[in-house]
Amino acid sequence: MVAETAVWRDRLTAQERAQLGRGAGVIEEQHPDVLVVGGGIAGVATAAACHTAGLGSVLLIEAGRLGSGATGGAAGLLTPEIHEWSDPEPFVDLARASLELWGELEQTWPDGVGLIELDWIGLAPDPDGFAPHQRPAVEWLDHDQVAELVPGLARPMAGALIRRQARVNPLRSLARLAAVLPAVATGTAATSAEVKSGRVVRVATTAGDIYPGAVVFATGMPPVLDGLPLDLPASRVKGHLLVTEPSPVRLPGTVAPVATQLDDGRLLVGGTFDTGDETPTVRQDVIDSILEALYATLPAVRGLQADYQWCCFRPRHPDGRPVIDRVPGLENAWLTSGHFRTGILMAPVTAHTIARWISAGEPPVEAAAWSSVRFAERRHIRH
Ligand SMILES: Cc1cc2nc3c(=O)[nH]c(=O)nc-3n(C[C@H](O)[C@H](O)[C@H](O)COP(=O)(O)OP(=O)(O)OC[C@H]3O[C@@H](n4cnc5c(N)ncnc54)[C@H](O)[C@@H]3O)c2cc1C
């Protein structure tokens, strides 16, 4: 995967790196109480939540290495408040709840999950460029305040400050969460499912058959498996990111749309939306345009080169929002898919929702907004 050229892997300890390739091709548990298919952040967080909730034996399987999908290529920003400007209230509520859960995980998980608190600063030529209303979480900054916080801008800019957001190295969080899981099989792809009397009774994989009590599909895009009665609309949106050489310029937290500064001074830049580009390779013209935009906004870093450059694909449903649901018509199968731009942020709340649903047998209230039924209704209306 192209995401494997991302900066994140190089920053892991040897122990964390080893987690990502755990149990290659070996299924230790053929009859798990819970099988999770997909070792991105959604799957690993869900497996960890099921394990800590005491739902019995949990097996996680992943076709490649853990984090080899969108997770390994994400920017890792956890910024729920900015979604007030673009998303409906239930989405923002979910995102806020998830950042809180990230905070709890950081406190309670053995060695934490690598959460780094930061302030988000958004630059705008004019404060009105953001939103007509001012919310309590946002502090508007005038030109002078921005210039003090972000020295070296090409021209005066106003901005907005949101405190106490966060970021992670997505692979570090993944490795830390996976470390508690008793059974992980990487290099193991689910290939088909057998359904009897409304239950998934068998999942065939490249390493043999599994007979799960319950199964959760967390495959990024909705799962497409022989025998699984599911057909959800989804597409992928490619994005490029780069990380520069260490920069002498100091940025506070993350400055949108400029860059996020990593601990050693490198700048994480980009997050393009290359709609329609299905090629799996990094495009130099896109990387060059990300760098040009950086130099144009922050001339002080002109000439700084990209040490890492990569691309990956965001899984997206037509409304850009995730599905967190039981597979319609099946009693013991759940899915989460289409996390698009915020799957890292949303992982803990998604995991928590599914684990509680499996445990109680009833959907938690917050799940209603993320049902896959919304797409069935749309298809119905169109016809
Ligand atoms: C450029 C870019 C920047 C981003 N920045 C951010 C950000 O700052 N903050 C944020 O919150 N989100 C961000 N995202 C979005 C985030 O990366 C995704 O929403 C998130 O990683 C989705 O996680 P996932 O676990 O659902 O999917 P994935 O990470 O894609 O994991 C799914 C896994 O399932 C495996 N799989 C698929 N089919 C099978 C099968 N049949 N059997 C076994 N395994 C299977 C795949 O190999 C894959 O590893 C960004 C995305 C991109 C592309």
Side-chain angles (χ1 to χ4, degrees):
M1 284 296 292
V2 188
E4 290 198 350
T5 60
V7 69
W8 306 125
R9 206 177 140 76
D10 278 2
R11 308 189 136 226
L12 301 182
T13 63
Q15 210 180 0
E16 287 166 343
R17 217 171 293 147
Q19 280 294 333
L20 304 180
R22 256 179 78 186
V26 183
I27 293 174
E28 293 167 40
E29 172 67 86
Q30 268 194 300
H31 297 268
D33 293 304
V34 181
L35 167 66
V36 178
V37 179
I41 194 79
V44 171
T46 301
C50 291
H51 174 69
T52 52
L55 299 186
S57 57
V58 177
L59 167 66
L60 175 86
I61 64 168
E62 158 58 44
R65 298 166 65 82
L66 299 185
S68 56
T71 296
L77 292 173
L78 313 177
T79 52
E81 294 303 329
I82 63 171
H83 291 277
E84 275 260 346
W85 285 308
S86 55
D87 291 283
E89 208 174 303
F91 185 91
V92 182
D93 288 347
L94 196 76
R96 283 188 183 129
S98 208
L99 181 56
E100 252 174 59
L101 288 173
W102 269 112
E104 281 173 29
L105 286 170
E106 178 63 15
Q107 295 303 319
T108 56
W109 211 253
D111 301 326
V113 285
L115 192 73
I116 301 162
E117 195 177 293
L118 51 68
D119 292 343
W120 179 93
I121 295 175
L123 300 179
D126 182 318
D128 293 340
F130 275 111
H133 62 293
Q134 184 165 350
R135 295 169 309 101
V138 178
E139 297 164 41
W140 295 113
L141 305 174
D142 64 25
H143 294 183
D144 294 340
Q145 289 166 312
V146 168
E148 201 168 307
L149 287 168
V150 191
L153 287 171
R155 62 193 175 95
M157 282 178 146
L161 168 66
I162 302 177
R163 298 184 193 271
R164 309 204 58 201
Q165 305 295 282
R167 71 176 175 87
V168 291
N169 169 341
L171 289 186
R172 168 159 297 134
S173 303
L174 196 73
R176 299 267 181 98
L177 288 167
V180 305
L181 296 177
V184 174
T186 58
T188 301
T191 52
S192 69
E194 185 183 345
V195 172
K196 272 192 190 151
S197 310
R199 294 179 65 83
V200 171
V201 292
R202 183 174 65 92
V203 173
T205 80
T206 49
D209 289 348
I210 301 169
Y211 304 88
V215 56
V216 181
F217 297 99
T219 43
M221 295 284 276
V224 180
L225 290 183
D226 279 351
L228 190 72
L230 190 69
D231 176 20
L232 294 179
S235 60
R236 309 189 308 166
V237 182
K238 185 173 170 180
H240 284 79
L241 282 165
L242 64 84
V243 164
T244 67
E245 339 169 68
S247 160
V249 174
R250 291 284 142 217
L251 294 181
T254 182
V255 181
V258 184
T260 302
Q261 195 150 37
L262 305 182
D263 318 344
D264 57 0
R266 294 173 190 277
L267 301 179
L268 169 65
V269 201
T272 53
F273 289 84
D274 314 317
T275 313
D277 180 358
E278 282 290 322
T279 58
T281 43
V282 171
R283 278 177 42 193
Q284 195 56 45
D285 60 321
V286 179
I287 294 297
D288 291 346
S289 68
I290 296 173
L291 279 174
E292 270 316 314
L294 172 69
Y295 302 157
T297 323
L298 207 61
V301 301
R302 181 166 286 282
L304 217 56
Q305 296 303 307
D307 270 353
Y308 296 84
Q309 50 194 46
W310 69 95
C311 64
C312 66
F313 289 90
R314 305 170 182 88
R316 184 182 191 277
H317 291 298
D319 58 5
R321 314 235 155 75
V323 164
I324 307 169
D325 201 0
R326 201 184 328 224
V327 179
L330 298 184
E331 217 179 285
N332 69 335
W334 281 261
L335 87 150
T336 187
S337 56
H339 277 281
F340 191 37
R341 308 187 285 162
T342 53
I344 312 296
L345 170 59
M346 294 294 199
V349 81
T350 301
H352 194 62
T353 303
I354 293 176
R356 276 193 300 148
W357 195 337
I358 295 174
S359 163
E362 295 293 327
V365 276
E366 68 271 22
W370 317 111
S371 164
S372 60
V373 170
R374 66 189 196 267
F375 301 116
E377 281 164 359
R378 274 186 200 180
R379 270 201 291 268
H380 188 65
I381 291 164
R382 268 210 307 269
H383 287 161

